[in-house]
Amino acid sequence: MTAEHSPWRPPSLHHREKLDHLAYVVVEEEIDGTMGLVVAHWPSGGRGAPRFRDDGEFEVAVDREELQRRLAERRVPEAADLPDAVAAELRSRRVEVGDVFAIEVLGELSPDDDWRNCEWVGETIDLTAEAREAAKAKMYEALTPELDKRMAKRLIADAKEPREPAA
């Protein structure tokens, strides 16, 4: 399986063998105590940026307080080396628009189910920081032109030449 077709593995999930039971969930909006989530099948992309399928993505509305309560026990990978009190604070921080989670969906991943009460939320891993970094890398990749091979060779040769220390 090529990296393009293998599951996306952000650093916090690199040790996991299987990821297909997880859903990629983004908090898209909040209106009057209701949060709109985009739920997608776990993306491919290997260790690069996530790549989503053309099908299987849908939006659901959930109660903000219920979602907050369910996510209070989420794992926060970037907090692994932090004191317990800081990690607990990160786990219980307010859920905001733009947050991204890997969530084990309890039951079927179907837009026809009732999502509002959040009983579908299983193990949850906060991937907000990693998803933002992947999105930035993908944006920079899209905005940066491919380097001409002759120019690349010249830059490498210039970098290898000894330089006089600046006075």
Side-chain angles (χ1 to χ4, degrees):
M1 186 179 293
T2 66
E4 225 173 83
H5 293 87
S6 64
W8 179 52
R9 292 189 178 279
S12 60
L13 297 178
H14 75 278
H15 64 284
R16 293 196 176 215
E17 198 169 304
K18 295 187 73 155
L19 299 173
D20 58 351
H21 68 291
L22 297 173
Y24 187 95
V25 179
V26 179
V27 180
E28 187 172 65
E29 64 183 341
E30 179 178 8
I31 301 171
D32 298 329
T34 299
M35 300 200 93
L37 307 179
V38 175
V39 180
H41 291 281
W42 193 255
S44 62
R47 295 196 188 275
R51 290 182 190 85
F52 295 90
R53 302 183 339 194
D54 291 335
D55 65 336
E57 180 180 295
F58 53 91
E59 295 181 28
V60 298
V62 299
D63 180 75
R64 168 186 247 307
E65 288 183 24
E66 185 63 21
L67 180 64
Q68 185 71 50
R69 188 179 69 73
R70 291 283 183 154
L71 297 182
E73 294 303 314
R74 65 187 177 264
R75 287 202 356 203
V76 185
E78 60 269 19
D81 295 332
L82 295 176
D84 289 344
V86 174
E89 186 177 324
L90 284 173
R91 275 193 295 278
S92 62
R93 74 171 175 76
R94 182 175 164 87
V95 176
E96 298 290 347
V97 171
D99 285 354
V100 177
F101 302 98
I103 298 180
E104 178 183 10
V105 175
L106 305 175
E108 292 298 314
L109 189 61
S110 167
D112 300 327
D113 293 338
D114 179 14
W115 293 77
R116 192 159 182 76
N117 63 15
C118 297
E119 290 179 3
W120 53 273
V121 175
E123 177 189 18
T124 302
I125 303 159
D126 191 330
L127 298 178
T128 303
E130 291 164 305
R132 287 180 181 162
E133 286 302 313
K136 283 193 291 188
K138 200 66 177 165
M139 179 190 70
Y140 295 145
E141 179 184 308
L143 295 175
T144 306
E146 191 172 317
L147 186 60
D148 175 82
K149 288 183 182 184
R150 289 184 310 200
M151 176 63 83
K153 287 179 181 178
R154 194 167 69 212
L155 289 171
I156 291 169
D158 287 350
K160 290 181 179 179
E161 287 183 16
R163 298 186 186 255
E164 296 284 324

